[in-house]
Amino acid sequence: MPRELTRLSKTAFTGLDYSNIITDIINLVTDNPNYNANWGDFLSSDAGRMMIELFAYISDQLATRIDWVSNEIFIGTATQKNSAIRLLKLLNYNFTLPVAAQVAVDIALTDSDWGDIDKLNSAGFNLTVGYANGDTAWSPYSLTATDLKGATRTFECLDYNSATNVYNYASSVAVDSQNKTLTFYEGQTAIDTFTATTDNNPIFTLTSTDIIENSVLVRLVGDSDSETTLVAVNSFLDPNAQNETYSTGDTIPLPYVMNVAEDDLITIEFGPTSLLSSTTRRLSVDQQVRVIYRIGGGADGNIVKNAIPPGTAVTMYVTPIGGSSPVGITPTFVNSAAGTSGADAETSEHASVYAVST
């Protein structure tokens, strides 16, 4: 029978608190003939009573601290996220990151604007031009809207495969008709580039926090700005980390492990010599790694209908697909339905119970 998803209550390992410490001391004095002959009233105005209460207070504070520390070293009672992260690393468990909200945006062009584009090429134009190898900065087309708490959020037009949970950064997103509905995803895209200074377990820390689930793409930079997507593994003992080729004979890219650190930063870790003896399975000194990822996410990004108001017009210059001459247009944007799917990062309480029960 699966374990019920309920969190264990905090345990009082010492069993000490202010009241029972005072009771224990009074009982000790009352039961000891060396003390009770001279002291037995325990009045609140008595100096001895004051010393008992002072001792009880100090003992209560120490006991509380002992209980807290003791609770933090067990997964079922840990209350601090950094404690849970450290313990769950023993199980190769990573916290679920925040999920980006998605919103359907209706895009409309005037007859005149669409006519100008259609004259040059009937395929339309790319609203977002895909990421290209060698790009150290890249921004998909974006709109802003007010979230559920009144803050301004950015929504980017991206190609996302909901079946594989992969952001296809290299794919362009086209407006190929006069009236088009495209999905925008809350958050902003960032790119970090790192250079290895060692071939023995290099670890790179992404510069931002609040990184969106399924958004991290790690690429090895080669000659002439060529890039190869690397393979994520849970452990360097994974067959995809140890082996050179898949069963099909295709080469397995370099492996890496993505970790959620105690301070909510994300680290990208490459193999140590102790686990990956072959140099072809490890990052070499001076090799560059480029990491594309998105920042944001959370339930507050599930914006209400018309958060991007009807008639929101943006003037832009676009180049029709296959064409060479830019065209000035002013499309309008509106989200005629509320945003969906946005979710906050996993809490320590959920991770502590879920990781143990699965």
Side-chain angles (χ1 to χ4, degrees):
M1 177 178 289
R3 182 190 298 251
E4 185 179 357
L5 290 183
T6 54
R7 184 177 175 81
L8 297 177
S9 60
K10 290 178 64 179
T11 302
F13 290 91
T14 61
L16 297 175
D17 61 35
Y18 181 77
S19 297
N20 66 33
I21 293 172
I22 290 178
T23 300
D24 288 344
I25 295 174
I26 291 176
N27 290 337
L28 177 64
V29 174
T30 302
D31 296 338
N32 192 315
N34 294 323
Y35 304 142
N36 59 23
N38 299 314
W39 183 24
D41 49 20
F42 305 108
L43 297 175
S44 59
S45 59
D46 191 88
R49 176 71 184 214
M50 179 188 70
M51 296 302 296
I52 290 175
E53 292 178 352
L54 178 60
F55 178 80
Y57 171 78
I58 295 172
S59 299
D60 176 75
Q61 294 300 305
L62 291 174
T64 299
R65 183 68 180 177
I66 292 170
D67 288 343
W68 182 83
V69 172
S70 299
N71 277 288
E72 294 305 305
I73 63 176
F74 294 100
I75 192 63
T77 54
T79 60
Q80 302 299 305
K81 188 173 183 178
N82 58 353
S83 300
I85 288 175
R86 285 196 295 268
L87 291 167
L88 291 173
K89 279 183 179 179
L90 300 174
L91 305 176
N92 283 330
Y93 183 89
N94 266 335
F95 275 59
T96 300
L97 301 174
V99 177
Q102 58 188 56
V103 59
V105 176
D106 299 329
I107 305 169
L109 283 82
T110 64
D111 292 341
S112 176
D113 281 348
W114 185 250
D116 289 342
I117 293 172
D118 204 34
K119 287 176 186 177
L120 298 177
N121 192 305
S122 59
F125 64 94
N126 287 322
L127 187 64
T128 288
V129 177
Y131 169 84
N133 291 350
D135 286 347
T136 56
W138 172 72
S139 297
Y141 184 80
S142 64
L143 297 168
T144 58
T146 301
D147 71 10
L148 299 183
K149 288 187 176 177
T152 300
R153 297 259 186 159
T154 298
F155 289 78
E156 294 182 332
C157 183
L158 289 161
D159 178 26
Y160 178 73
N161 188 326
S162 57
T164 59
N165 296 321
V166 171
Y167 286 95
N168 299 311
Y169 296 118
S171 297
S172 297
V173 182
V175 175
D176 53 10
S177 59
Q178 185 174 351
N179 296 282
K180 180 78 173 182
T181 299
L182 293 174
T183 303
F184 282 61
Y185 297 88
E186 189 272 325
Q188 293 178 277
T189 301
I191 299 177
D192 288 348
T193 302
F194 305 98
T195 302
T197 58
T198 178
D199 66 346
N200 183 19
N201 197 210
I203 299 175
F204 308 118
T205 301
L206 302 187
T207 55
S208 300
T209 56
D210 296 325
I211 294 173
I212 291 173
E213 182 79 1
N214 300 319
S215 73
V216 176
L217 178 67
V218 182
R219 311 262 288 175
L220 181 66
V221 180
D223 297 332
S224 302
D225 288 330
S226 64
E227 295 183 13
T228 303
T229 299
L230 304 185
V231 61
V233 296
N234 291 325
S235 163
F236 293 116
L237 297 177
D238 188 301
N240 284 344
Q242 295 285 324
N243 298 335
E244 302 279 345
T245 59
Y246 295 109
S247 58
T248 59
D250 296 326
T251 300
I252 301 177
L254 288 182
Y256 69 91
V257 171
M258 188 179 78
N259 291 310
V260 180
E262 288 85 347
D263 50 9
D264 289 335
L265 290 171
I266 300 295
T267 62
I268 305 298
E269 176 181 356
F270 288 86
T273 55
S274 58
L275 295 179
L276 299 177
S277 57
S278 173
T279 57
T280 60
R281 305 307 295 149
R282 304 194 313 270
L283 200 63
S284 300
V285 175
D286 293 332
Q287 280 191 302
Q288 278 194 330
V289 172
R290 186 160 293 137
V291 184
I292 310 169
Y293 59 96
R294 306 189 67 242
I295 308 160
D300 289 336
N302 295 324
I303 58 175
V304 299
K305 177 181 177 179
N306 294 337
I308 302 170
T312 298
V314 179
T315 300
M316 62 178 72
Y317 284 87
V318 299
T319 300
I321 296 173
S324 57
S325 301
V327 177
I329 59 174
T330 307
T332 58
F333 299 85
V334 61
N335 68 305
S336 54
T340 62
S341 302
D344 296 332
E346 186 176 20
T347 64
S348 57
E349 289 81 4
H350 179 274
S352 297
V353 177
Y354 179 77
V356 174
S357 64
T358 54

